[in-house]
Amino acid sequence: SSSSSSYSSASTQSPDRFAESKALAAHYLKDNIDGVQAIAEHSDQTTQQFVTKQAESIAEFIDELVQRVKPGLDKAELENELKATIAAQLKRRSPAGRCSEKTEADMFNSAVRFLKWLCPGSDSTFSKTNEKHIYPCFVELINFVAELVVRPLLDQQPTSFDEKPKRLIRSYILNNAKSDKAEDKHYINMALKCDTLNYTMGDNAEYDEDSYLISEACLKANDEWSDERPNYPCIFAVVEVQPNSSDAKMQDGFSQLVEHSKDVYRNQHNRHFIWGLVSGGSEVKACVFGPNFLLASQFMDVTSTAGRLELIRFLVNWSFCEPSKLGYDPTIRYNYKHECFAIDMVNSNGQMLTQTTYYLREVVVIAERVFGRHTRCFVVGEQPPSLDENSDNSGDILIKDAWPEVSGSAEDDMRDESRLLKRVSDGLAGRSEFNGLYPKYISGGRMQIQNAHGDSVDDTTRTILGDTVWAQLGDLPLRAHMRIAMSGVGEPLESVQSIYELVVVIYDVMRCHMGILKHCQILHRDISEANILVRRDDTGVHGMLIDFDHSIDITDEGYAVRTEGAGTRPFMSINNLEDNSTKRTALDDWESIIYILCWLGTFGWNRATQPSGSVSKMAIASWNDYDEMMNANSKRRDMDSSRIFTEITKGFNPNIPHISAFKKFVNGLRAVLIDDHDDPDMRGAIFDKNIIPEESDTDDFLEDEYIVRLDPFVERAKHWESISNSLLAKLETYATVCKKRL
């Protein structure tokens, strides 16, 4: 899809980001789910049995330390008891190796800290309801467990590669937790980081077992990691601590996880899902975030033997499980030899599956939200890039990676974007007038991953969560990991250099849109600024329409739609916002084009066209309302008449060159869609016209059954083809003039 950039339009801004995170947490949270921790278990049963024994031995070690904390012991006696216990336990374990970080004295100091949390009342200065007291205890407990993971009991040594830990999970306190000021919800408190164990990589290997965990930014940021400043490319999971486990405080904790996980997704392009921990006093919950879920486990009380065992087993599982169980994509991995990422592509050919590997050149779209399709786009090449700085390493293939809702198996899913894009490519083949205006399908479909036994399974949210958890989620829509390779790489819309270029680009996009509808019977349904690219060649500037994830086959009776909605909020048609029964036609996408043009005229499309003053009080701001019905009502009001619509165009940025002509252009398109109809029932946008049947008497008029409410959008949908042709002709007229002025 489109390229990411430093410019962020008003459509992506929120007046209170944490308020949005809180609303998202409340909407997606499913609490007290059994089996959340088991998602991180190794898929090989024999290996998991070994891992469980390791966890139990660590829990027993810590239980023994807890038992040494007895009422009446003075400080010196307690210290001697703890030191003796640690010394005795370490003699039963493997000696410290190159992966160990703690000496025996270090482990004693760690134990002294975390026992304050595990043993209430052991330290009169410690409060288990004080977040600042809990953070260092939580950190020390996690790091203590990590140290013991690489120092197993002498009679529980690994006998195979799978029984060796692949990584250590270490914890760090970050800036906000050290501050004396009141907690700032916009800053991260505590983070977990995966430290890969180097023995997993051979001297000449191109990949290591955990190469999935490394992002390009993390390679650069690792040396800069500090307790003062988190490097989101390196964060495995976020931890939030609340003073108690009340519903309100736990909700705050979940909301903060949502807030910080956005930045993890934004910086890590190989994340399927994200783990998190929320502690309410001494009670801890494991959390997992996916495209359409936030699941929280039952409480694990660290002051109880059972609760500690559950938490420790969970932490130890993370050190042994497959990278996919950590939330990393096993089909994107770092290639050390060529110093780039390799991305696997599954090519569907009937029942045969083959695999092609592409090599990353550039990440052009990032996943910026915790929930949703998590769309990412990569520019890739078929060969690894040259390490010669003077070589041309540009890529000519675009890979789109996303998690859309799906129905049934890959073979039966008629909403599969790869299938629709292939149909577009086939339907427009040989029609040179559309060359370069749409991406051409190369390969793709539903991705698969291999389990511990080498079996390939569809990469879906159900596969991630497992049957036990999935059975508790009711009617949660299934999402699948889709990846498509296509030819045709363009620039983002922000690269447009003038109003003239913008009009030409929009004309190409809608010309292509109507061609796809006519020749392929596919309706796009997600016209947005992100789905319009700019392409330049010797003949000039052109537009490209991309992203067919929400498209539908208009020959499919009933126009099957996704329950996740269609479109980007400020640009969604009124029908889609209202989720009504009106037939979806090309007019919905033409309506979206008008909203896009208004948005760009007001907020600009790059920094050069961005307004200098505040735009929050403009009428158009209501088009970004999270309440979809309020959003729809605002658009009905604003689109109803040319007089009211003028209030929208009055807000266009006067500093954009030729903005007056642009206003005329946008007003003209709206008039063709809304006003220029002989039938008065087709005019306007307000849904409040009443007709009294001629045979009705006055008394009957007062009863609802005799009132027929006509929606002009319904009436226009009956004539969508002729109105669409008029709109395209109008747009062509403007584009012809603009081309001459370029």
Side-chain angles (χ1 to χ4, degrees), residues 526-581:
D526 188 14
I527 303 293
S528 70
E529 59 179 340
N531 293 337
I532 298 172
L533 296 188
V534 179
R535 188 177 58 81
R536 300 178 188 276
D537 59 22
D538 294 340
T539 64
V541 64
H542 307 280
M544 177 186 285
L545 179 62
I546 62 169
D547 197 345
F548 293 80
D549 198 23
H550 284 297
S551 300
I552 55 173
D553 178 356
I554 64 170
T555 64
D556 179 18
E557 185 176 355
Y559 284 18
V561 297
R562 300 179 191 274
T563 60
E564 62 184 307
T568 304
R569 191 185 308 114
F571 317 126
M572 286 175 68
S573 72
I574 290 169
N575 288 328
N576 285 332
L577 285 167
E578 294 179 344
D579 193 23
N580 59 38
S581 60

Side-chain angles (χ1 to χ4, degrees), residues 64-71 73 78 82 115 119 121-122:
E64 194 172 345
L65 294 174
V66 170
Q67 292 166 12
R68 296 294 178 267
V69 182
K70 301 174 182 177
L73 278 181
L78 177 58
L82 294 177
L115 286 171
C119 305
S122 61

Side-chain angles (χ1 to χ4, degrees), residues 613-625:
S614 173
V615 293
S616 60
K617 295 184 179 180
M618 290 185 175
I620 197 173
S622 62
W623 294 5
N624 200 26
D625 198 303

Side-chain angles (χ1 to χ4, degrees), residues 348-359:
S348 298
N349 180 17
Q351 297 301 312
M352 297 178 60
L353 292 176
T354 58
Q355 181 174 295
T356 302
T357 298
Y358 293 100
Y359 297 89

Side-chain angles (χ1 to χ4, degrees), residues 33-293:
I33 299 296
D34 292 325
V36 170
Q37 300 93 320
I39 296 170
E41 291 182 353
H42 201 286
S43 57
D44 179 74
Q45 187 174 1
T46 301
T47 301
Q48 184 55 44
Q49 289 174 350
F50 174 84
V51 174
T52 299
K53 288 181 180 179
Q54 294 292 314
E56 289 172 348
S57 74
I58 295 172
E60 289 170 3
F61 185 166
I62 293 175
D63 284 346
E64 194 172 345
L65 294 174
V66 170
Q67 292 166 12
R68 296 294 178 267
V69 182
K70 301 174 182 177
L73 278 181
D74 63 26
K75 184 177 179 180
E77 289 177 313
L78 177 58
E79 288 183 359
N80 290 333
E81 289 270 1
L82 294 177
K83 288 178 179 178
T85 301
I86 291 172
Q89 277 280 351
L90 292 181
K91 285 181 180 179
R92 299 174 54 208
R93 295 178 172 270
S94 297
R98 59 191 175 93
C99 298
S100 303
E101 287 192 346
K102 292 182 180 293
T103 64
E104 189 172 315
D106 291 333
M107 297 192 74
F108 165 75
N109 291 330
S110 289
V112 169
R113 293 189 185 98
F114 69 67
L115 286 171
K116 296 177 183 180
W117 185 36
L118 273 51
C119 305
S122 61
D123 186 336
S124 61
T125 65
F126 178 83
S127 170
K128 69 173 184 177
T129 61
N130 186 313
E131 298 166 57
K132 298 298 189 292
H133 286 183
I134 295 175
Y135 276 116
C137 299
F138 208 160
V139 165
E140 294 295 348
L141 176 63
I142 291 172
N143 292 341
F144 192 91
V145 170
E147 181 68 21
L148 295 177
V149 163
V150 289
R151 300 177 71 172
L153 291 171
L154 294 173
D155 60 355
Q156 290 184 6
Q157 295 296 303
T159 58
S160 68
F161 179 80
D162 285 342
E163 292 180 353
K164 291 183 178 182
K166 306 305 182 292
R167 66 202 70 87
L168 297 183
I169 306 300
R170 291 197 169 105
S171 183
Y172 301 83
I173 295 179
L174 300 171
N175 48 19
N176 188 38
K178 287 189 172 183
S179 171
D180 292 331
K181 300 178 181 178
E183 182 179 13
D184 186 337
K185 296 180 177 64
H186 297 279
Y187 289 94
I188 195 168
N189 296 128
M190 178 175 162
L192 305 183
K193 182 167 170 276
C194 290
D195 286 345
T196 301
L197 298 176
N198 294 329
Y199 62 74
T200 61
M201 180 173 164
D203 292 339
N204 298 315
E206 293 187 358
Y207 306 101
D208 73 13
E209 181 71 17
D210 267 8
S211 58
Y212 318 102
L213 310 184
I214 302 174
S215 70
E216 186 175 19
C218 187
L219 291 174
K220 299 174 182 177
N222 248 326
D223 293 337
E224 302 169 6
W225 179 281
S226 73
D227 293 352
E228 298 297 330
R229 182 180 181 184
N231 284 303
Y232 281 103
C234 303
I235 289 177
F236 159 61
V238 177
V239 182
E240 281 297 332
V241 172
Q242 296 296 314
N244 59 63
S245 58
S246 68
D247 289 346
K249 290 300 181 183
M250 294 302 293
Q251 189 65 40
D252 275 351
F254 298 139
S255 302
Q256 289 179 57
L257 286 189
V258 171
E259 172 74 9
H260 303 312
S261 294
K262 294 176 186 176
D263 294 307
V264 176
Y265 273 123
R266 186 178 291 115
N267 285 277
Q268 298 181 23
H269 312 303
N270 58 344
R271 289 304 290 263
H272 274 177
F273 61 91
I274 296 176
W275 286 101
L277 292 170
V278 178
S279 171
S282 61
E283 297 182 297
V284 181
K285 288 198 174 212
C287 301
V288 61
F289 298 79
N292 58 344
F293 57 79

Side-chain angles (χ1 to χ4, degrees), residues 585-599:
T585 70
L587 297 186
D588 289 279
D589 288 347
W590 279 104
E591 186 183 337
S592 292
I593 277 291
I594 293 173
Y595 297 146
I596 289 172
L597 294 171
C598 290
W599 204 262

